Amino acid sequence: MATTKVQNGYRMLLTVRWIFVALLISLAAYFALPDSSVPIEHLLQDALKSYQRAEFEEALRSTGSILQREPEHPDALWISGRSHARLKQYTAAVRDLNLIVLNSPDGIDARLLVAEILHYHLYLFDEAEHAYGAVLRQDPANPNANDGLARLLSVCGRRSEAIPLILRLVQLQQASDLLMVLARESGAINDEDLLTRAHQAAPNSAGPLLGLARLADLKKQTDEAVTLCQRAIQKSPKSVAAHIELGRYLLQLQEYGELKDWRRNLPPDATSSAEIQRLIGFAELHDGHRTIALERFLSAAKSLPDSRSLCHQISQLLFAAGDPGAAQLYVEQMESIRQLYDAQDGVLFASGQPATESMLELIAAYERCGRLLEAYGWTQLAILRFPQNPVLRQLKVRLAEETATMKPELVPESANPAFVVSRNRYEIPDTVGLGPNPELKHPGIAPDVSAPSLTGISFSEASAELGLDFTYVNGGELKQRMFEFGGGGVGCDDLDGDGYPDIVFSQGGDWNRRGTPDNQSDALFRNVRGESFREVSKVASFGSTDFGQGVAIGDIDQDGFPDVVIASIGGAKLWTNLGDGTFQEKGQPLIPRTFAVPWLTSCAIADLNDDSYPDIYVAGYLRGADIFERVCMDSDRTSRLCQPSAFRAEMDHLLLNDGVGSFADSSHLLPASVAEGKGLGVLIFSPAENGSPGIYVANDTTPNSLLVREDNHENWIDTAFASGAAVSYQGKPEGSMGIALGDTDGDSHSDLVVTNFLNEGSAFYHSLGDSAFRDERSESGLEGASTSVLGFGVQFLDANLDGNPEMFVSNGHVDDLHREGKPYRMPAQLFSVRDGLFRLLKSDDPGSYLQRNHLGRAVAKTDWNVDGKPDLVLGNLQQPSVVLTNTSASSGKSLQLRLISLSGDREAICASVTCQTGKRRQVQQLTAGDGYQCSNEKLITFGIAGTAFAEVISICWPSGEVQQFNNISLPNRLTVIEGRATLFTSPQ
């Protein structure tokens, strides 16, 4: 019984305990539940007050009470989502905000906040793009959604998709820094940290991979860019943007086999993309299908009117189709784009804040391009800087009216020539394409640009021992003024008739003492029997104290003794060779004086109007009120050289010889395009290879010029665009300096090399014959080997006399930017040239000139010691000038020819000489002015291997007469007189 009582008492105790526990649970549940006695409106007010006091956790408690009662309460979700965001609880924030219906009062703001969190905090680009898109479908004029999506697309390199969004912001008067994305056709936002985070957050997302591919390409890691694009396509096979980027990099790498696969694998809707059309056009061009390529390019140009590469290709194809009028539309479009880029540089690279005038010029440049919406956008930005400027205020009103109803596109249809030209039908014969990547001579074989040793090729440097002691002084104290970078000129020829070439150097000197008797002077070094040099400037009465630049040597008065022209800052002077070892300065200025000080660079002497009297062409560079004083500043206020775009072009001068000792400035006969050229290098040669002279001018940041006489009349026309030698294969004017002419592949046509700025690569204009050229720098291997240097002087020469040319390039920067990781002094380069391919040679000799760094400038070619092998004379900055004597082990024997014309210009400039030995055919032209600010010895040198005779020598004189000589023994140094059967031998 006792036990039973105890058990019953224990059961009762347990029952009471469970009742108590249940009561506690009920009380807890009661207090945990929303207080139904507290109205939701009061809880919402408490939440809002807490949020406003930045008491976000308290706000979340209040909204939590509401959401337990009404899980989709929009106001509570809005406060809850924002509170989570402020506490950096981003996933919770997105969860709450996404529950708000888009068309509710806070729906758009909620979805915008979701997009921003996904974009900048969770780094989920695909979801962010979807969120921005949802807002824009509901509210297309929402400025924040347009801005956010434009930035997301731009960081992923999807510029074409961002364009309408950015332009819509302009129409909403919300212009911003996003205009920079539109400024250049490669525009993007480069944010590696953001892209890396986005890739880590979503490895399968295509957008971050494409952005990282862009950055890899900028770092010259194009193979890595291809890999990233392929991964993006693997993750998102229907991503048109990914296919575009992959095609772009494959084209850049000339992977035409892979491009065919790329084209087969395009998504069905991809071909409607203008970028895809552009890439297919290049593939068709590579295959020689020029008519189809033109159709593709014109289709793409409707949406890509700012693409210089498209404009260039279309212009070249239209010239080939026989429609120069339509082609000229695209030449003018390229020029408008160039002027726009110059105006942009004037604003973006201005020292300090840009001036009102610079902003107005930029706006005007956009208007000239037909890009009115961007002009309006930049006007909005300019007014923020100059709010009271009346011109800007009037511009804003006018442009607002003109653009109010425009479609958000770069160029309206009415201003885009593609909509006019594409209505025509063209038939262009299929052939090797005119684009930047034509069919390789060695299909499927990438150019070998490795650096084999200089086997058998060597140069000795012993200038001081030879008595040649000259240093160009570029103004005195270095102050980063524009005139300090160019250096002086070099000229080589036999000035005293003793059979040995002498050397002329122009001198800069102390800028503040220029033109005064106590300044440094130009110098003349006489060659002493090929053994040494002796300066004879004073005894020869030669040289001035102007700030000298280019040198030209030619027989102006046709007396058999070459005369000298020196271009300078301030004018040009002619030194007449009196034939007795002395010179006389021509009293009358070659170029009439004006109020401005002309900056003249390279010059050349040749008969340019077929009257038998040698004329003079002088290139002009820059002009401006403060051109010789202005120093530009970096953002950190460090002084640096200004951009050429900051100044106007100095005009070129055509000086025609009247035959009685005077020159007429006939520059009015030159085409208008020449007035825009910023000339540095000049070459006179025969582009048609028929003896008719042409003038090629290498212009800095403006299109190069190729001038020929119009139907043999007085007036000259610029055929550079029609010939394909005006700009790069990308349609870009470059920092052109030096020019070399030579046959690089044995096809008997003379090709052009033009040295360029750092990261541009030297241009290789391969001759197609009939005055047509194509830039093949990429497939020739020259681009890859020259992008890391800034080239000036350049010469072709056969150093080892094996019948194949080498090419020497003198390099050095114009500004000391080593703080930015850019090289200043640079080594010169020597290339082997075979079958149109350039291979950079390296020297194993640590003491070699090629192993040391220099600020190289002019390079002139001569055989100073008359041993049959070409030597070089180099001009440098901050270092003495150098004679490089060719000590190469010869693989063959030399044939050297000096030409004397009797029917025209005595020096026979533009004569063409052919040397035929067995199946080997070599062709060289006699030129004037080639190189950079220099004048070569008037000597044709052939290297001939494996035989003791040159079987046939054929000379096509400028008059059109052709002479032929057979079985000339080797080695030999001959003088050939036009029309004479006798060859005169000179001693070696």
Side-chain angles (χ1 to χ4, degrees):
M1 287 292 294
T3 302
T4 301
K5 288 181 180 180
V6 170
Q7 289 174 342
N8 290 337
Y10 181 70
R11 290 190 188 98
M12 185 176 293
L13 180 62
L14 286 175
T15 300
V16 171
R17 180 180 295 174
W18 280 114
I19 292 171
F20 181 72
V21 169
L23 179 62
L24 288 177
I25 291 172
S26 299
L27 288 171
Y30 173 79
F31 287 109
L33 288 171
D35 187 354
S36 58
S37 65
V38 179
I40 285 179
E41 290 75 13
H42 292 177
L43 290 171
L44 196 62
Q45 290 176 5
D46 291 342
L48 182 59
K49 289 177 182 178
S50 297
Y51 180 84
Q52 291 171 341
R53 292 194 298 265
E55 298 171 352
F56 304 118
E57 292 181 350
E58 185 65 30
L60 287 172
R61 277 191 285 272
S62 297
T63 57
S65 298
I66 298 171
L67 293 173
Q68 284 189 348
R69 293 160 63 179
E70 292 189 28
E72 296 183 1
H73 193 289
D75 295 331
L77 289 169
W78 179 226
I79 296 174
S80 177
R82 288 187 294 167
S83 297
H84 280 303
R86 295 296 296 271
L87 291 170
K88 299 184 179 181
Q89 298 168 358
Y90 296 120
T91 302
V94 169
R95 177 200 63 207
D96 288 349
L97 294 168
N98 268 335
L99 292 173
I100 300 174
V101 178
L102 189 59
N103 59 5
S104 66
D106 295 317
I108 286 180
D109 289 338
R111 204 58 53 88
L112 269 175
L113 183 53
V114 167
E116 291 170 4
I117 291 171
L118 293 168
H119 187 173
Y120 294 110
H121 300 292
L122 295 178
Y123 313 110
L124 300 173
F125 282 9
D126 291 345
E127 290 87 340
E129 182 177 348
H130 178 77
Y132 284 129
V135 173
L136 290 173
R137 284 189 292 274
Q138 185 77 14
D139 180 13
N142 187 286
N144 292 325
N146 277 284
D147 183 273
L149 183 54
R151 292 182 188 277
L152 188 149
L153 295 171
S154 297
V155 83
C156 295
R158 294 162 60 184
R159 175 180 180 261
S160 59
E161 298 171 72
I163 288 173
L165 304 171
I166 298 171
L167 295 179
R168 191 174 294 128
L169 286 168
V170 170
Q171 290 177 310
L172 295 170
Q173 299 192 44
Q174 298 287 324
S176 70
D177 61 320
L178 280 170
L179 286 172
M180 290 301 302
V181 175
L182 308 189
R184 303 289 167 98
E185 61 182 295
S186 59
I189 295 175
N190 298 321
D191 191 334
E192 187 167 9
D193 179 66
L194 180 62
L195 288 166
T196 302
R197 291 172 183 266
H199 178 55
Q200 292 170 345
N204 292 334
S205 176
L209 288 168
L210 299 183
L212 291 170
R214 283 258 172 168
L215 294 177
D217 185 49
L218 288 175
K219 297 174 184 177
K220 310 299 183 184
Q221 300 168 357
T222 309
D223 288 333
E224 173 65 14
V226 168
T227 300
L228 289 167
C229 290
Q230 290 170 336
R231 287 174 57 191
I233 292 173
Q234 185 180 14
K235 305 299 182 183
S236 302
K238 294 183 180 180
S239 170
V240 176
H243 286 277
I244 289 171
E245 289 300 284
L246 176 60
R248 191 165 71 87
Y249 300 132
L250 291 176
L251 179 68
Q252 193 170 309
L253 292 170
Q254 304 174 53
E255 297 288 354
Y256 288 102
E258 292 190 33
L259 264 177
K260 291 183 184 298
D261 294 335
W262 165 86
R263 187 172 175 180
R264 282 192 292 268
N265 294 325
L266 288 173
D269 59 341
T271 53
S272 62
S273 161
E275 282 285 356
I276 295 289
Q277 289 291 317
R278 184 183 76 88
L279 293 167
I280 292 175
F282 278 113
E284 294 286 359
L285 192 62
H286 169 265
D287 293 337
H289 304 149
R290 297 195 289 175
T291 300
I292 299 175
L294 178 58
E295 292 172 355
R296 299 287 191 173
F297 288 148
L298 287 171
S299 175
K302 292 177 180 179
S303 298
L304 302 172
D306 65 329
S307 172
R308 291 193 296 191
S309 62
L310 265 182
C311 290
H312 179 57
Q313 297 306 326
I314 292 171
S315 71
Q316 294 301 289
L317 289 169
L318 289 172
F319 278 123
D323 192 347
Q328 189 61 31
L329 293 175
Y330 281 92
V331 170
E332 292 168 0
Q333 189 161 336
M334 279 188 281
E335 178 60 14
S336 296
I337 295 172
R338 183 194 67 78
Q339 292 176 1
L340 173 60
Y341 283 8
D342 283 353
Q344 289 172 350
D345 290 346
V347 170
L348 301 178
F349 299 108
S351 299
Q353 293 291 335
T356 314
E357 293 76 15
S358 298
M359 294 298 294
L360 288 170
E361 173 54 33
L362 176 61
I363 294 164
Y366 272 108
E367 287 199 79
R368 287 194 295 270
C369 287
R371 296 164 68 167
L372 297 186
L373 277 169
E374 288 168 276
Y376 181 33
W378 282 100
T379 303
Q380 295 172 31
L381 296 182
I383 284 180
L384 294 176
R385 174 83 177 106
F386 308 104
Q388 303 305 319
N389 185 281
V391 178
L392 286 171
R393 293 169 73 89
Q394 292 170 7
L395 263 176
K396 184 177 180 182
V397 172
R398 174 172 67 80
L399 290 171
E401 293 176 355
E402 293 180 7
T403 60
T405 59
M406 276 188 174
K407 291 171 59 178
E409 55 190 7
L410 288 182
V411 177
E413 181 176 331
S414 59
N416 188 336
F419 287 93
V420 176
V421 177
S422 61
R423 297 171 191 158
N424 301 331
R425 298 297 301 171
Y426 296 98
E427 292 294 335
I428 314 174
D430 285 353
T431 182
V432 175
L434 289 180
N437 297 290
E439 190 168 350
L440 294 174
K441 298 184 183 69
H442 311 281
I445 302 176
D448 177 10
V449 293
S450 59
S453 299
L454 288 171
T455 305
I457 299 178
S458 62
F459 294 88
S460 68
E461 175 189 354
S463 305
E465 294 85 340
L466 294 175
L468 193 135
D469 183 11
F470 179 84
T471 300
Y472 183 84
V473 179
N474 64 331
E477 182 183 356
L478 288 176
K479 296 179 180 178
Q480 283 77 46
R481 295 170 293 187
M482 289 297 291
F483 63 84
E484 294 174 347
F485 83 83
V490 180
C492 302
D493 219 334
D494 180 8
L495 299 177
D496 54 9
D498 65 353
Y500 296 93
D502 309 299
I503 303 176
V504 171
F505 294 103
S506 68
Q507 178 61 278
D510 187 326
W511 178 255
N512 296 320
R513 292 190 295 160
R514 65 190 186 281
T516 64
D518 58 344
N519 199 14
Q520 293 98 328
S521 173
D522 308 320
L524 168 60
F525 286 84
R526 184 187 176 197
N527 186 333
V528 183
R529 299 188 60 79
E531 298 171 353
S532 64
F533 291 94
R534 182 172 71 246
E535 184 176 358
V536 295
S537 309
K538 290 185 178 179
V539 298
S541 301
F542 175 83
S544 74
T545 58
D546 297 336
F547 201 83
Q549 301 281 267
V551 173
I553 298 178
D555 194 353
I556 292 289
D557 52 12
Q558 303 286 272
D559 64 352
F561 292 96
D563 310 296
V564 180
V565 172
I566 295 183
S568 67
I569 295 178
K573 289 186 175 179
L574 168 61
W575 298 88
T576 302
N577 189 339
L578 301 180
D580 59 359
T582 66
F583 290 79
Q584 182 179 48
E585 180 191 350
K586 181 177 175 60
Q588 178 186 354
L590 283 177
I591 297 173
R593 300 286 183 180
T594 63
F595 66 91
V597 177
W599 184 350
L600 308 177
T601 53
S602 290
C603 48
I605 300 171
D607 178 11
L608 297 174
N609 58 356
D610 293 334
D611 64 355
S612 301
Y613 300 118
D615 309 300
I616 304 171
Y617 192 92
V618 188
Y621 186 43
L622 303 176
R623 63 184 172 94
D626 60 348
I627 179 66
F628 304 118
E629 291 80 33
R630 190 190 308 184
V631 175
C632 292
M633 299 289 176
D634 279 332
S635 56
D636 61 359
R637 306 304 296 168
T638 302
S639 62
R640 68 178 300 166
L641 211 67
C642 297
Q643 299 283 335
S645 58
F647 305 96
R648 303 280 302 277
E650 176 60 62
M651 66 181 298
D652 292 3
H653 294 271
L654 173 63
L655 308 175
L656 296 182
N657 190 340
D658 65 2
V660 293
S662 296
F663 290 85
D665 191 343
S666 303
S667 305
H668 64 279
L669 300 176
L670 300 175
S673 61
V674 172
E676 298 296 325
K678 300 173 180 179
L680 287 175
V682 170
L683 166 71
I684 297 178
F685 77 117
S686 178
E689 302 175 82
N690 60 2
S692 296
I695 307 167
Y696 189 71
V697 185
N699 290 315
D700 187 3
T701 70
T702 57
N704 301 327
S705 302
L706 178 54
L707 310 178
V708 298
R709 292 213 315 279
E710 186 175 16
D711 297 325
N712 291 322
H713 294 117
E714 286 188 332
N715 292 323
W716 293 71
I717 58 174
D718 189 350
T719 65
F721 276 104
S723 297
V727 291
S728 76
Y729 65 80
Q730 297 172 323
K732 175 190 172 188
E734 299 178 300
S736 307
M737 271 79 75
I739 312 168
L741 183 80
D743 182 0
T744 63
D745 56 1
D747 65 355
S748 301
H749 298 307
S750 296
D751 311 307
L752 287 164
V753 167
V754 180
T755 56
N756 284 321
F757 208 76
L758 183 70
N759 294 325
E760 288 181 333
S762 294
F764 171 49
Y765 296 111
H766 177 237
S767 175
L768 307 176
D770 196 25
S771 300
F773 297 88
R774 179 175 56 218
D775 185 3
E776 295 183 7
R777 74 183 73 184
S778 181
E779 49 270 53
S780 70
L782 183 57
E783 183 175 37
S786 58
T787 52
S788 61
V789 294
L790 193 161
F792 274 91
V794 57
Q795 295 289 347
F796 284 114
L797 72 163
D798 185 356
N800 57 359
L801 302 179
D802 66 349
N804 296 296
E806 283 73 46
M807 186 177 77
F808 185 96
V809 186
S810 192
N811 301 308
H813 212 295
V814 299
D815 206 353
D816 188 353
L817 302 176
H818 69 274
R819 63 187 180 277
E820 299 178 11
K822 297 177 181 177
Y824 184 38
R825 291 176 173 83
M826 301 174 181
Q829 294 174 309
L830 186 66
F831 291 86
S832 165
V833 186
R834 301 290 186 277
D835 299 323
L837 297 179
F838 293 78
R839 294 179 175 87
L840 181 63
L841 302 173
K842 66 181 181 181
S843 172
D844 296 324
D845 178 7
S848 165
Y849 184 88
L850 292 167
Q851 286 280 58
R852 304 195 308 275
N853 293 330
H854 317 275
L855 293 180
R857 294 300 186 260
V859 179
K861 183 169 58 177
T862 184
D863 179 10
W864 80 269
N865 56 1
V866 195
D867 66 352
K869 293 183 289 190
D871 310 306
L872 299 169
V873 182
L874 315 179
N876 297 310
L877 288 184
Q878 302 178 27
Q879 291 176 330
S881 297
V882 172
V883 172
L884 289 184
T885 303
N886 187 348
T887 54
S888 304
S890 299
S891 300
K893 299 177 181 179
S894 69
L895 173 63
Q896 295 182 315
L897 303 175
R898 185 175 297 276
L899 308 182
I900 298 177
S901 172
L902 297 181
S903 62
D905 171 14
R906 177 184 172 89
E907 293 191 312
I909 302 300
C910 294
S912 177
V913 183
T914 301
C915 176
Q916 183 82 39
T917 303
K919 295 182 179 180
R920 187 63 183 276
R921 177 185 174 93
Q922 299 181 58
V923 178
Q924 292 187 41
Q925 280 195 46
L926 191 61
T927 62
D930 50 345
Y932 165 76
Q933 296 191 166
C934 75
S935 185
N936 294 330
E937 182 180 2
K938 303 299 188 299
L939 189 68
I940 296 284
T941 300
F942 291 108
I944 304 171
T947 181
F949 294 90
E951 293 178 7
V952 180
I953 295 295
S954 177
I955 303 171
C956 180
W957 298 90
S959 64
E961 181 180 348
V962 177
Q963 274 184 277
Q964 182 172 304
F965 302 93
N966 300 319
N967 297 322
I968 299 174
S969 61
L970 302 174
N972 222 325
R973 186 181 179 95
L974 304 170
T975 298
V976 186
I977 300 176
E978 183 179 9
R980 302 284 179 86
T982 302
L983 296 174
F984 298 90
T985 303
S986 302
Q988 286 187 283

